[in-house]
Amino acid sequence: MLQNTGKLAGYTIFITGASRGIGKAIALKAARDGANVVIAAKTADPHPKLPGTIYTAAAEIEAAGGKALPCIVDVRDEKQINDAVEQAVEKFGGIDILVNNASAINLTGTLETPMKKIDLMLGINLRGTYLTSKLCIPHLLKSKNPHILNLSPPLNLNPIWFKNHTAYTMAKYGMSMCVLGMAEEFKGSIAVNALWPKTAIQTAAMDMLGGSGIDKQCRKVEIVADAAYAIFKQPTSFTGQFVIDEDILRKEGIRDFDVYAVEPGHPLLPDFFLDQQPEDLARQMKEHGATPAFKSGKTSTDSASTGPVSDMFNIIRGVLSPDIVKTTQGVYRFDLSGDHAGVWYIDLKNDAGSAGSGEPPVKADVIMTLDSSDFIKMFEGKLKPTMAFMSGKLKIKGDMGLAIKLEKMMAMMKSKL
């Protein structure tokens, strides 16, 4: 692993999303040099599913030898960022390094992605990065060796990285475009670079996307922290670079990368946006014991991409409207068995509505379990949900009133069939 040199002693580092994961790992690496760390993150109270808060992270940073300033910051909120920047300058005398680490991810297709998810990703990834940079730059310009580091990928314009999750790719590439533009704008004054891992990194997000068994295909967050540390040591002339963690560490003389592996010797999963295609990533996950929670576009089950259920959902999407959403206000999940088994959803609560395969984007109000052939009959108007329920063909968990409301949408579909 890359050894600390004391280079960052007394430096002030402003890190978004530093209460856990990669952000906290970078904070702890800097703290071992005696750096001042501003923890700009949302989690002030313990999260039911995610570890750490800004206060527990601050305690770890202080224990590692640094000084910490925990700040409650949602990077979509200009006032919260500005307040944190002012507190940092007042407490530590300035800002030397900004790490734009906060990020949101939602790997769904265009029709399956609610606008609130798009707004979230664009708001945090793109706008949050731009805004935090804008507010920190006046102070960075006063530093002897200022850096902005965005945790974002190289701009790989292969359409394969857009087709399955256009919104996420646009939001993440927005962070990288900030690097492209700001590096040129502030050339000679501030080093602006991006950092991306060569392999999957074990974080809460990866556990969610990769499912059980993914951890042994990952490296630890410490490899990204070491790579960030190597970048911070560079002069401001090192700018506009899209750095891959393993590449820069090799230049630093690191040869043993097994020390970063969760399970040394186990095959590792390449990260997104590099050369390997998403279909291969999903296949590789499964080969080595993981169950990917995201879909790669060409799914392994024909029923998710072709067949009568998929055709029916194409029709369903065609009749969705704000009026239906307004009058229904329900999210439905369908657990289908039989010839075309699978999980599907209809969101009639958010935005203009959405429908597709997989888990719904928010918690379902109603879960309907039935055979895929009966599902088709219901939406063709040949089988009413109430009759299916009474005959035992349909099991309903949740709000029965919403189940009845769904019949109204089914009636609207008759003209489409």
Side-chain angles (χ1 to χ4, degrees):
M1 300 181 84
L2 190 66
Q3 298 301 308
N4 280 67
T5 63
K7 175 77 175 178
L8 299 182
Y11 275 57
T12 297
I13 306 179
F14 192 106
I15 308 177
T16 66
S19 60
R20 62 178 66 92
I22 290 172
K24 189 179 78 170
I26 294 174
L28 290 172
K29 183 72 177 179
R32 295 184 190 103
D33 268 6
N36 310 314
V37 181
V38 182
I39 308 158
K42 291 195 301 180
T43 310
D45 299 314
H47 191 282
K49 295 183 180 179
L50 300 173
T53 68
I54 57 175
Y55 304 113
T56 59
E60 290 183 57
I61 289 164
E62 299 268 352
K67 294 180 180 179
L69 175 62
C71 297
I72 300 173
V73 173
D74 181 336
V75 294
R76 295 170 293 177
D77 189 317
E78 183 171 359
K79 185 180 185 303
Q80 288 185 13
I81 302 170
N82 196 57
D83 287 348
V85 169
E86 289 182 356
Q87 289 177 50
V89 173
E90 182 179 352
K91 184 176 178 68
F92 299 126
I95 297 173
D96 302 289
I97 297 170
L98 165 63
V99 179
N100 287 305
N101 167 70
S103 187
I105 182 170
N106 194 69
L107 300 179
T108 50
T110 300
L111 296 175
E112 291 77 35
T113 310
M115 285 309 300
K116 71 174 185 178
K117 291 286 187 181
I118 296 172
D119 291 341
L120 178 71
M121 289 188 286
L122 292 174
I124 293 176
N125 302 2
L126 194 162
R127 186 179 184 275
T129 294
Y130 187 96
L131 177 57
T132 307
S133 300
K134 176 182 172 65
L135 295 177
C136 286
I137 283 171
H139 305 285
L140 291 169
L141 288 169
K142 300 174 184 178
S143 173
K144 293 180 180 178
N145 191 37
H147 283 261
I148 295 176
L149 181 64
N150 295 352
L151 273 294
S152 63
L155 289 165
N156 182 351
L157 296 183
N158 185 337
I160 196 76
W161 294 115
F162 289 82
K163 74 167 189 175
N164 298 323
H165 39 74
T166 298
Y168 172 66
T169 299
M170 289 194 302
K172 205 65 186 173
Y173 279 11
M175 298 176 71
S176 300
M177 292 174 75
C178 286
V179 171
L180 204 62
M182 292 179 189
E184 193 67 23
E185 182 178 359
F186 297 100
K187 183 177 286 187
S189 300
I190 303 173
V192 186
N193 297 290
L195 174 60
W196 196 247
K198 184 173 184 178
T199 72
I201 304 297
Q202 187 186 26
T203 62
M206 183 53 65
D207 289 341
M208 175 188 71
L209 296 172
S212 61
I214 190 63
D215 55 336
K216 60 187 177 183
Q217 299 182 55
C218 297
R219 283 174 171 163
K220 303 172 187 175
V221 291
E222 283 74 17
I223 189 171
V224 185
D226 281 4
Y229 186 84
I231 292 171
F232 299 152
K233 295 195 301 178
Q234 304 300 318
T236 54
S237 57
F238 184 87
T239 191
Q241 303 295 310
F242 292 89
V243 180
I244 303 301
D245 58 357
E246 185 176 310
D247 294 347
I248 194 168
L249 290 176
R250 286 190 183 280
K251 290 179 182 178
E252 290 286 326
I254 301 297
R255 295 293 178 266
D256 179 13
F257 286 90
D258 262 358
V259 296
Y260 296 113
V262 173
E263 186 173 314
H266 196 282
L268 296 168
L269 184 71
D271 208 339
F272 277 19
F273 303 116
L274 301 179
D275 292 330
Q276 192 159 352
Q277 298 200 0
E279 287 83 0
D280 297 330
L281 297 182
R283 175 184 50 76
Q284 192 168 332
M285 280 187 187
K286 292 177 180 178
E287 285 177 355
H288 298 297
T291 305
F294 68 91
K295 300 207 180 292
S296 61
K298 295 180 180 178
T299 64
S300 58
T301 55
D302 291 339
S303 61
S305 56
T306 60
V309 175
S310 177
D311 292 343
M312 183 58 68
F313 268 85
N314 287 334
I315 298 171
I316 291 170
R317 284 191 285 265
V319 301
L320 296 181
S321 70
D323 287 340
I324 294 177
V325 172
K326 185 177 180 180
T327 57
T328 308
Q329 288 296 291
V331 178
Y332 303 82
R333 190 181 100 179
F334 301 91
D335 293 347
L336 305 184
S337 57
D339 293 339
H340 302 281
V343 176
W344 297 77
Y345 76 89
I346 302 175
D347 181 353
L348 297 178
K349 181 182 281 187
N350 301 290
D351 304 312
S354 62
S357 62
E359 294 286 339
V362 295
K363 184 179 179 181
D365 299 302
V366 183
I367 299 174
M368 296 185 168
T369 304
L370 69 164
D371 189 276
S372 55
S373 62
D374 289 326
F375 173 86
I376 298 297
K377 290 176 183 176
M378 277 196 342
F379 279 85
E380 287 178 339
K382 298 176 181 177
L383 177 65
K384 289 185 177 294
T386 48
M387 293 301 296
F389 177 72
M390 291 175 65
S391 65
K393 293 181 178 180
L394 169 64
K395 293 181 180 179
I396 300 176
K397 182 179 179 181
D399 191 327
M400 287 293 293
L402 285 175
I404 295 171
K405 277 188 175 183
L406 191 61
E407 291 188 22
K408 294 181 179 179
M409 192 186 83
M410 295 175 181
M412 292 185 66
M413 290 181 56
K414 287 184 178 180
S415 61
K416 298 280 184 178
L417 297 174

